[in-house]
Amino acid sequence: MTTVATSPVCASVECSNTTHLQCPTCLKYNITESSFFCSQDCFKKSWGVHKANHQKKRGPYDPFSTFPYTGPLRPVYPLSPKREVPESIQRPDYAVSGISKSEIAESRNTNIKILNAEEIEGVRKACKITKEVLAIAAAAVRVGITTDEIDRIVHEATIERGAYPSPLNYNFFPKSCCTSLNEVICHGIPDQRALVDGDIINIDVSCFYGGFHGDANGTYCVGTVDEVGQRLVNVTRECLEKSIAMVKPGVRYRDFGNVIEEHANRNGFSVVRAFCGHGINQLFHCAPNVLHYANNKGVGIAKPGHVFTIEPMICEGVHQELLW
């Protein structure tokens, strides 16, 4: 039997010419499928789609290698594919587009929505699911588990309860929960980084159910955390408890920050100013803004029917953030 070798067909879309060029990166990673092109023009036109093939073969890497990190933590990419949500589950308005038009429409409205009894019950149901999912995620925290695996656990527990994971595609966020380790303040993206002994991890879980959002987070010690780290976690929890104890009709939203910062400062810690608590109902984020530092200019007075989060973020050292 005689076989005839044939040249591969050009990998560019809508081109079927025979090829004599191979992508140099594909050659490096020993990728043969869809790696040949008939010309530089076809290669350049296809680059945006073609480069995704490299990530499939590439090992773990830091996609932001030039970023001026403040500590030793680094992202570990590639991210896993976007997790799917069954069609039967009700979705928020940003699930497909990534943009919440309903929040944009309300963004300049400082009026704080007063929920009726039926709406409050809707929030309670969403919060109950959120609490259950957070407890499941917390039980999985251990040395060696990746934050992506925690995200998978959160995602599956959420959809098992007929809810949508609120972070997923919210402003294009790629995962179903936030996992913030060590020096990361909040909104950390779950990736391939495995937890190690001594880590501190915050897991932020939000679930959309029956047209309402629930929101909860917890901070957990991985293995043996040093004394300062343990005290930081405990003081942060105390700040939360002290501010929750203040909640009643007539309290100014700006006053929570006075109690939080006083307690944090007394214990040698600082309070993050760049992020805050927020209203939550049919919208994921809305009025009021609940600022956690003293002498802030927060607007509004608590009234029956208001629903909001208090989320003190407390730091060792200075409060100044470094944003992406």
Side-chain angles (χ1 to χ4, degrees):
M1 178 182 291
T2 302
T3 59
V4 178
T6 59
S7 298
V9 173
C10 182
S12 179
V13 177
E14 297 181 352
C15 181
S16 57
N17 294 334
T18 56
T19 64
H20 59 278
L21 300 175
Q22 185 177 15
C23 167
T25 306
C26 288
L27 192 60
K28 175 183 175 182
Y29 290 127
N30 197 29
I31 301 172
T32 56
E33 184 178 357
S34 300
S35 68
F36 293 90
F37 298 86
C38 66
S39 67
Q40 286 288 346
D41 285 342
C42 275
F43 179 56
K44 291 175 182 178
K45 285 191 296 184
S46 303
W47 177 248
V49 174
H50 173 74
K51 64 182 179 181
N53 293 336
H54 304 154
Q55 307 305 339
K56 298 175 184 177
K57 285 285 186 176
R58 190 176 182 182
Y61 68 98
D62 173 9
F64 314 108
S65 58
T66 60
F67 184 77
Y69 294 102
T70 61
L73 187 68
R74 297 291 184 274
V76 182
Y77 277 47
L79 298 181
S80 60
K82 180 182 176 182
R83 305 190 196 282
E84 298 298 324
V85 177
E87 290 295 330
S88 59
I89 291 177
Q90 183 179 357
R91 289 157 162 72
D93 66 346
Y94 54 81
V96 175
S97 68
I99 301 296
S100 176
K101 292 183 179 179
S102 56
E103 285 192 10
I104 293 174
E106 290 290 322
S107 60
R108 294 188 178 182
N109 185 6
T110 58
N111 293 327
I112 303 168
K113 182 172 182 176
I114 296 177
L115 277 64
N116 60 36
E118 183 179 350
E119 290 172 320
I120 290 174
E121 182 58 27
V123 173
R124 287 187 190 278
K125 290 178 180 178
C127 288
K128 181 177 183 293
I129 290 172
T130 302
K131 180 182 177 181
E132 291 175 359
V133 174
L134 179 60
I136 292 169
V141 171
R142 65 182 186 278
V143 173
I145 192 171
T146 65
T147 52
D148 183 70
E149 179 67 7
I150 292 173
D151 181 77
R152 182 192 64 78
I153 290 168
V154 166
H155 183 87
E156 293 180 358
T158 301
I159 63 175
E160 282 173 5
R161 288 159 174 78
Y164 180 94
S166 299
L168 186 61
N169 210 36
Y170 179 74
N171 291 328
F172 307 105
F173 190 81
K175 293 298 174 181
S176 297
C177 69
C178 301
T179 52
S180 305
L181 277 69
N182 304 336
E183 63 265 30
V184 176
I185 296 171
C186 60
H187 305 153
I189 299 174
D191 61 14
Q192 303 301 323
R193 201 272 194 179
L195 301 186
V196 299
D197 189 65
D199 277 342
I200 295 173
I201 180 172
N202 179 272
I203 305 174
D204 194 347
V205 172
S206 306
C207 298
F208 181 75
Y209 180 81
F212 295 89
H213 294 274
D215 194 0
N217 72 80
T219 303
Y220 310 97
C221 296
V222 182
T224 304
V225 172
D226 62 32
E227 184 178 344
V228 175
Q230 292 182 46
R231 190 158 59 86
L232 174 63
V233 173
N234 291 333
V235 168
T236 303
R237 184 178 296 108
E238 291 164 4
C239 286
L240 175 63
E241 291 169 349
K242 286 178 178 292
S243 55
I244 289 175
M246 295 174 60
V247 176
K248 63 180 180 180
V251 171
R252 298 185 302 176
Y253 284 108
R254 68 178 62 179
D255 290 341
F256 296 120
N258 297 331
V259 171
I260 291 170
E261 184 157 42
E262 190 276 333
H263 188 65
N265 288 173
R266 189 194 314 143
N267 286 276
F269 300 120
S270 62
V271 181
V272 171
R273 298 185 171 214
F275 304 98
C276 63
H278 53 89
I280 187 166
N281 40 64
Q282 291 95 333
L283 302 179
F284 195 3
H285 297 89
C286 56
N289 287 332
V290 182
L291 305 172
H292 304 124
Y293 57 91
N295 302 316
N296 66 72
K297 304 300 181 184
V299 175
I301 295 174
K303 297 179 180 180
H306 287 182
V307 179
F308 57 95
T309 72
I310 305 174
E311 309 179 45
M313 287 155 267
I314 312 301
C315 298
E316 294 182 46
V318 299
H319 67 81
Q320 184 61 52
E321 75 289 345
L322 179 62
L323 298 178
W324 289 101

